[in-house]
Amino acid sequence: MTTPEADTLHVRSAARRRSRWRAQAPVVAVVAAGGALGACARYGLALALPTPPGGFPWATFWTNLIGCGVMGVFMVFITEVWAAHRLVRPFFGTGVLGGFTTFSTYTVDIRRLVDTGRPGTGLVYLVATPCAALAAVWLASTVARKVLIGRQQP
């Protein structure tokens, strides 16, 4: 037999769990929808730039650079220019750009290059991708800040 206080605590904790889920459900939904869009865009780019066996994986390289550059612009825009709705960042930043960029494929590409006897190309790709991606974020956010915020100041 339980005490009345224990029953009340159980009901309150179940209600709290449901309200947390209701608050997070829209976030999960927009991340999933954005991820599907981003993954489709990445697939389209991979079809447009096929990688021959043992060749440099340009599609993955450009996908990651473009995604990182767009992320730089996006973050400046929603944090310093526009007060975005609470679901914009999860939809576009986590969903679309998370589905578009593909650092897991980057590691598979490195392994393929090494396995096909191109360890030098794999090493260049290993170093070039994160360096170029970080440079893309920095450059895009710097330019976006100057263009978007510079226009707002009198």
Side-chain angles (χ1 to χ4, degrees), residues 18-32 86-87:
R18 276 194 302 272
S19 71
R20 269 190 261 157
W21 170 245
R22 285 187 186 135
Q24 291 301 315
V27 175
V28 172
V30 299
V31 168
R86 74 179 187 92
L87 296 177

Side-chain angles (χ1 to χ4, degrees), residues 33-65:
L37 292 173
C40 288
R42 176 184 37 162
Y43 180 70
L45 189 57
L47 289 178
L49 298 171
T51 302
F56 193 85
W58 287 108
T60 305
F61 183 77
W62 286 115
T63 296
N64 289 330
L65 260 59

Side-chain angles (χ1 to χ4, degrees), residues 145-154:
R145 196 169 281 114
K146 288 183 187 227
V147 170
L148 296 172
I149 297 173
R151 286 186 181 173
Q152 292 180 350
Q153 296 172 350

Side-chain angles (χ1 to χ4, degrees), residues 6-153:
D7 289 339
T8 304
L9 290 175
H10 177 69
V11 170
R12 285 183 187 161
S13 66
R16 198 173 303 133
R17 278 193 301 265
R18 276 194 302 272
S19 71
R20 269 190 261 157
W21 170 245
R22 285 187 186 135
Q24 291 301 315
V27 175
V28 172
V30 299
V31 168
L37 292 173
C40 288
R42 176 184 37 162
Y43 180 70
L45 189 57
L47 289 178
L49 298 171
T51 302
F56 193 85
W58 287 108
T60 305
F61 183 77
W62 286 115
T63 296
N64 289 330
L65 260 59
I66 291 166
C68 288
V70 172
M71 180 59 80
V73 173
F74 175 68
M75 290 308 294
V76 168
F77 188 70
I78 68 164
T79 60
E80 299 176 34
V81 176
W82 177 51
H85 185 274
R86 74 179 187 92
L87 296 177
V88 171
R89 188 183 295 190
F91 171 74
F92 192 74
T94 305
V96 174
L97 293 176
F100 182 69
T101 58
T102 175
F103 285 90
S104 58
T105 302
Y106 153 77
T107 59
V108 171
D109 289 341
I110 293 166
R111 179 67 184 218
R112 262 192 215 125
L113 287 167
V114 170
D115 288 348
T116 58
R118 312 257 334 249
T121 305
L123 182 61
V124 167
Y125 183 54
L126 174 72
V127 173
T129 296
C131 290
L134 289 170
V137 170
W138 175 80
L139 182 63
S141 61
T142 300
V143 169
R145 196 169 281 114
K146 288 183 187 227
V147 170
L148 296 172
I149 297 173
R151 286 186 181 173
Q152 292 180 350
Q153 296 172 350

